[in-house]
Amino acid sequence: MQGRKGICILCAEGRKREFLADPKFLNHKGFKVADISDCGINLMYLPVEKDAQPPKFRECAKHPTIEKTGFVLYYTDQCPYTYYWVSRVQQVAKEHGIMFKVIHIMDKESAQNVPAPVTTYALFQNGKFLTQSIQSDKKFLALAGILE
């Protein structure tokens, strides 16, 4: 009725991953893989029209890399816990002298150009995509190789 061609959702290739849908359940419900990013995050879709073309990731999301050193975090306010943990991780990075840059995504155009398939939380280290999983201060320090 709204002219939509189908439904899209993100999941991890072959397995369940934090904050992403379960691909086995989606397959069971008729979803199909439309595209796969280099980091193993799949774009799945359920067409509601017979002629619906599968959606595709933008190139920046399909090949998630950046040209920056240190840790770089892209995030949105989609999850209510993100704001709390971003500031905690930012503080602990500062306390330990870890290069940590935060990029707060606040509009549709910026979100569409994030260099990762997930915009809620996308953490990079030295240009490589690490995780879409929200990090606590302790989890982040472990990723950075610092044990407390």
Side-chain angles (χ1 to χ4, degrees), residues 58 105-114:
R58 286 191 174 198
I105 306 303
M106 298 178 60
D107 60 73
K108 178 182 174 182
E109 183 179 338
S110 297
Q112 290 176 337
N113 291 297
V114 168

Side-chain angles (χ1 to χ4, degrees), residues 126-137:
N126 297 326
K128 182 181 176 199
F129 178 81
L130 287 181
T131 187
Q132 84 294 334
S133 178
I134 296 171
Q135 300 294 295
S136 68
D137 45 1

Side-chain angles (χ1 to χ4, degrees), residues 88-113:
R88 293 284 304 260
V89 169
Q90 198 169 21
Q91 181 61 38
V92 79
K94 183 178 179 181
E95 290 169 4
H96 287 83
I98 299 169
M99 289 177 58
F100 188 80
K101 181 177 180 173
V102 174
I103 301 169
H104 189 182
I105 306 303
M106 298 178 60
D107 60 73
K108 178 182 174 182
E109 183 179 338
S110 297
Q112 290 176 337
N113 291 297

